[in-house]
Amino acid sequence: MSEPHGTVVEQSPPPAKDRAAGTGRADDGHRRFWSARRVPAGLLALVILVIAGAFLYDIAAVRADRDGMSWRRELARQLAERPMDDVWVLTGAGVAAALGLWLFVLAVTPGLRSLLPMRRTHPDVRAGLHRDAAATVLRDRIMEVAGVQSARVRVKRRRADVRAVSHFRELDDVRTDLTAVLDDAAEGLGLARPPTLSLRVRRPGRKGR
Protein backbone atom coordinates (compact mmCIF):
# COMPACT_ATOMS: atom_id res chain seq x y z
CA MET A 1 0.00 0.00 0.00
CA SER A 2 1.35 3.41 -0.99
CA GLU A 3 0.66 6.87 0.38
CA PRO A 4 1.41 10.30 -1.12
CA HIS A 5 4.63 12.22 -0.85
CA GLY A 6 6.86 9.19 -1.44
CA THR A 7 5.83 7.26 1.69
CA VAL A 8 5.23 3.50 1.50
CA VAL A 9 3.40 1.66 4.27
CA GLU A 10 2.97 -2.09 4.67
CA GLN A 11 1.38 -4.17 7.37
CA SER A 12 3.44 -6.95 8.90
CA PRO A 13 3.34 -9.03 12.08
CA PRO A 14 5.34 -7.79 15.06
CA PRO A 15 8.87 -9.12 15.52
CA ALA A 16 9.08 -12.59 17.07
CA LYS A 17 11.04 -11.35 20.09
CA ASP A 18 8.33 -8.78 20.84
CA ARG A 19 5.53 -11.33 20.45
CA ALA A 20 7.32 -13.74 22.77
CA ALA A 21 7.87 -11.05 25.38
CA GLY A 22 4.27 -9.90 25.08
CA THR A 23 5.30 -6.29 25.36
CA GLY A 24 4.12 -5.12 21.95
CA ARG A 25 7.17 -2.88 21.81
CA ALA A 26 7.95 -1.69 18.29
CA ASP A 27 11.34 -2.53 16.81
CA ASP A 28 13.72 0.12 15.53
CA GLY A 29 12.65 -0.42 11.91
CA HIS A 30 16.21 -0.75 10.61
CA ARG A 31 15.34 -3.71 8.41
CA ARG A 32 15.23 -2.75 4.74
CA PHE A 33 12.32 -3.50 2.45
CA TRP A 34 12.73 -6.50 0.14
CA SER A 35 12.01 -6.27 -3.56
CA ALA A 36 9.60 -8.77 -5.10
CA ARG A 37 12.04 -9.27 -8.03
CA ARG A 38 9.11 -9.87 -10.37
CA VAL A 39 10.99 -9.28 -13.63
CA PRO A 40 13.96 -11.62 -12.94
CA ALA A 41 11.63 -14.26 -11.48
CA GLY A 42 9.31 -14.01 -14.48
CA LEU A 43 12.16 -14.25 -16.98
CA LEU A 44 13.67 -17.25 -15.17
CA ALA A 45 10.30 -19.00 -15.04
CA LEU A 46 9.76 -18.35 -18.76
CA VAL A 47 13.20 -19.75 -19.70
CA ILE A 48 12.68 -22.84 -17.56
CA LEU A 49 9.22 -23.33 -19.07
CA VAL A 50 10.53 -23.15 -22.62
CA ILE A 51 13.47 -25.49 -21.99
CA ALA A 52 11.39 -27.99 -20.03
CA GLY A 53 8.65 -27.91 -22.66
CA ALA A 54 11.14 -28.59 -25.46
CA PHE A 55 12.71 -31.55 -23.65
CA LEU A 56 9.32 -32.99 -22.71
CA TYR A 57 8.18 -32.75 -26.32
CA ASP A 58 11.35 -34.48 -27.46
CA ILE A 59 10.92 -37.29 -24.90
CA ALA A 60 7.30 -37.76 -25.95
CA ALA A 61 8.32 -37.92 -29.62
CA VAL A 62 10.95 -40.60 -28.91
CA ARG A 63 8.44 -42.61 -26.84
CA ALA A 64 6.05 -42.46 -29.79
CA ASP A 65 8.71 -44.05 -32.06
CA ARG A 66 9.49 -40.82 -33.84
CA ASP A 67 12.89 -39.35 -34.45
CA GLY A 68 14.21 -37.08 -31.73
CA MET A 69 14.58 -33.39 -32.45
CA SER A 70 17.70 -32.62 -34.48
CA TRP A 71 18.91 -29.89 -32.10
CA ARG A 72 18.89 -32.32 -29.19
CA ARG A 73 20.90 -34.92 -31.11
CA GLU A 74 23.36 -32.26 -32.24
CA LEU A 75 23.70 -30.93 -28.71
CA ALA A 76 24.36 -34.42 -27.33
CA ARG A 77 26.97 -35.02 -30.03
CA GLN A 78 28.72 -31.70 -29.35
CA LEU A 79 28.82 -32.35 -25.61
CA ALA A 80 30.25 -35.82 -26.19
CA GLU A 81 32.93 -34.77 -28.66
CA ARG A 82 34.12 -31.38 -27.45
CA PRO A 83 36.95 -31.41 -24.87
CA MET A 84 36.46 -29.69 -21.53
CA ASP A 85 38.98 -26.97 -22.40
CA ASP A 86 37.17 -26.03 -25.62
CA VAL A 87 36.54 -22.30 -25.88
CA TRP A 88 32.79 -22.74 -26.42
CA VAL A 89 32.49 -25.07 -23.44
CA LEU A 90 34.37 -22.61 -21.24
CA THR A 91 32.27 -19.70 -22.57
CA GLY A 92 29.02 -21.53 -21.87
CA ALA A 93 30.20 -22.48 -18.39
CA GLY A 94 31.20 -18.87 -17.69
CA VAL A 95 27.83 -17.53 -18.82
CA ALA A 96 25.98 -20.11 -16.73
CA ALA A 97 28.10 -19.29 -13.69
CA ALA A 98 27.53 -15.54 -14.15
CA LEU A 99 23.77 -16.03 -14.44
CA GLY A 100 23.77 -18.26 -11.37
CA LEU A 101 25.76 -15.70 -9.37
CA TRP A 102 23.39 -12.93 -10.49
CA LEU A 103 20.34 -14.93 -9.38
CA PHE A 104 22.02 -15.73 -6.05
CA VAL A 105 22.78 -12.06 -5.41
CA LEU A 106 19.17 -11.16 -6.21
CA ALA A 107 17.97 -13.84 -3.80
CA VAL A 108 20.06 -12.74 -0.80
CA THR A 109 19.95 -8.92 -1.16
CA PRO A 110 16.94 -6.76 -0.26
CA GLY A 111 16.91 -4.39 -3.21
CA LEU A 112 14.65 -1.30 -3.10
CA ARG A 113 17.66 0.90 -2.37
CA SER A 114 15.57 4.01 -3.01
CA LEU A 115 13.30 3.22 -0.04
CA LEU A 116 14.57 4.29 3.39
CA PRO A 117 13.09 2.50 6.45
CA MET A 118 11.31 4.76 8.91
CA ARG A 119 11.07 4.41 12.67
CA ARG A 120 8.57 1.76 13.64
CA THR A 121 6.01 3.22 16.02
CA HIS A 122 3.45 0.43 15.70
CA PRO A 123 4.32 -3.28 15.86
CA ASP A 124 2.08 -4.20 12.91
CA VAL A 125 3.08 -1.44 10.49
CA ARG A 126 6.33 -0.67 8.67
CA ALA A 127 6.83 2.54 6.72
CA GLY A 128 9.44 3.71 4.27
CA LEU A 129 10.32 7.02 2.66
CA HIS A 130 11.66 7.37 -0.89
CA ARG A 131 15.00 9.11 -1.19
CA ASP A 132 13.65 11.69 -3.64
CA ALA A 133 10.89 12.62 -1.21
CA ALA A 134 13.40 12.97 1.63
CA ALA A 135 15.63 15.14 -0.59
CA THR A 136 12.65 17.34 -1.48
CA VAL A 137 11.79 17.88 2.19
CA LEU A 138 15.37 18.81 3.05
CA ARG A 139 15.65 21.13 0.06
CA ASP A 140 12.41 22.93 0.99
CA ARG A 141 13.73 23.54 4.49
CA ILE A 142 17.04 24.79 3.12
CA MET A 143 15.33 27.34 0.89
CA GLU A 144 13.68 28.86 3.98
CA VAL A 145 17.07 29.99 5.29
CA ALA A 146 17.88 33.63 4.58
CA GLY A 147 20.69 34.07 2.08
CA VAL A 148 20.23 30.75 0.24
CA GLN A 149 19.80 31.25 -3.50
CA SER A 150 19.66 27.62 -4.60
CA ALA A 151 20.33 24.16 -3.22
CA ARG A 152 20.90 20.62 -4.41
CA VAL A 153 20.32 17.61 -2.16
CA ARG A 154 21.19 13.97 -2.75
CA VAL A 155 20.01 11.49 -0.13
CA LYS A 156 21.83 8.16 0.04
CA ARG A 157 21.30 5.23 2.37
CA ARG A 158 23.26 6.75 5.24
CA ARG A 159 24.27 10.20 4.07
CA ALA A 160 22.72 13.34 2.65
CA ASP A 161 24.92 15.50 0.43
CA VAL A 162 23.81 19.12 0.48
CA ARG A 163 25.21 21.80 -1.82
CA ALA A 164 23.87 25.30 -1.27
CA VAL A 165 24.56 28.62 -2.99
CA SER A 166 24.34 31.79 -0.90
CA HIS A 167 24.20 35.19 -2.62
CA PHE A 168 24.32 37.33 0.51
CA ARG A 169 25.18 37.08 4.23
CA GLU A 170 28.41 35.66 5.53
CA LEU A 171 28.94 32.06 4.50
CA ASP A 172 29.74 31.01 8.06
CA ASP A 173 26.43 32.44 9.28
CA VAL A 174 24.52 30.72 6.49
CA ARG A 175 26.32 27.45 7.19
CA THR A 176 25.48 27.65 10.89
CA ASP A 177 21.80 28.26 10.17
CA LEU A 178 21.71 25.49 7.58
CA THR A 179 23.30 23.02 9.97
CA ALA A 180 20.67 23.70 12.61
CA VAL A 181 17.81 23.55 10.10
CA LEU A 182 19.08 20.36 8.48
CA ASP A 183 19.62 18.60 11.79
CA ASP A 184 16.02 19.37 12.74
CA ALA A 185 14.70 18.43 9.29
CA ALA A 186 16.62 15.14 9.19
CA GLU A 187 15.25 14.18 12.59
CA GLY A 188 11.76 15.16 11.45
CA LEU A 189 11.88 12.74 8.53
CA GLY A 190 11.27 9.94 11.00
CA LEU A 191 13.89 7.66 9.48
CA ALA A 192 15.16 4.70 11.47
CA ARG A 193 18.69 5.92 10.75
CA PRO A 194 18.78 9.69 10.17
CA PRO A 195 21.33 10.39 7.44
CA THR A 196 24.69 11.92 8.20
CA LEU A 197 24.76 15.40 6.67
CA SER A 198 27.50 16.60 4.35
CA LEU A 199 27.09 20.35 3.79
CA ARG A 200 28.91 22.73 1.49
CA VAL A 201 28.01 26.39 0.99
CA ARG A 202 29.53 28.60 -1.70
CA ARG A 203 29.02 31.85 -3.54
CA PRO A 204 27.38 31.94 -6.97
CA GLY A 205 29.81 31.48 -9.85
CA ARG A 206 30.28 33.96 -12.63
CA LYS A 207 27.84 33.84 -15.53
CA GLY A 208 28.59 31.10 -18.00
CA ARG A 209 30.25 28.92 -15.36
Side-chain angles (χ1 to χ4, degrees):
M1 179 173 62
S2 298
E3 294 199 354
H5 307 298
T7 303
V8 175
V9 178
E10 69 174 21
Q11 292 186 346
S12 61
K17 62 180 182 180
D18 290 343
R19 293 199 304 268
T23 61
R25 179 179 56 84
D27 70 355
D28 56 9
H30 285 187
R31 292 183 297 115
R32 290 174 56 192
F33 289 82
W34 281 75
S35 171
R37 313 287 193 189
R38 292 185 178 89
V39 174
L43 291 176
L44 179 62
L46 179 62
V47 170
I48 293 176
L49 177 64
V50 171
I51 295 176
F55 277 105
L56 286 175
Y57 178 83
D58 186 66
I59 293 173
V62 172
R63 291 285 185 176
D65 296 329
R66 296 182 179 179
D67 291 336
M69 300 179 72
S70 59
W71 65 266
R72 195 263 301 169
R73 295 198 305 270
E74 179 64 20
L75 177 61
R77 185 184 67 82
Q78 292 288 344
L79 291 176
E81 295 179 356
R82 287 185 180 272
M84 293 298 294
D85 59 351
D86 183 80
V87 62
W88 290 108
V89 174
L90 296 177
T91 300
V95 171
L99 289 176
L101 179 61
W102 176 60
L103 293 174
F104 177 78
V105 171
L106 291 180
V108 299
T109 55
L112 294 182
R113 298 178 61 86
S114 63
L115 195 60
L116 303 173
M118 301 180 71
R119 285 193 295 269
R120 194 164 182 172
T121 58
H122 192 281
D124 296 333
V125 178
R126 295 183 65 218
L129 184 66
H130 283 279
R131 293 185 188 181
D132 291 344
T136 299
V137 172
L138 295 179
R139 183 180 181 279
D140 290 344
R141 292 294 303 274
I142 291 172
M143 297 305 297
E144 296 174 358
V145 176
V148 175
Q149 183 182 42
S150 62
R152 181 169 57 88
V153 181
R154 282 189 62 190
V155 177
K156 303 178 182 179
R157 281 185 58 192
R158 298 184 180 181
R159 191 179 69 180
D161 293 329
V162 180
R163 301 294 180 262
V165 177
S166 175
H167 57 302
F168 71 92
R169 297 182 65 199
E170 292 294 332
L171 292 183
D172 290 341
D173 294 341
V174 175
R175 187 178 295 107
T176 300
D177 291 348
L178 284 176
T179 300
V181 168
L182 287 171
D183 287 341
D184 180 69
E187 183 65 26
L189 292 175
L191 298 177
R193 292 177 177 173
T196 301
L197 299 174
S198 174
L199 174 62
R200 188 177 73 178
V201 184
R202 64 177 179 86
R203 292 296 187 194
R206 289 180 293 182
K207 291 185 178 180
R209 296 186 59 181

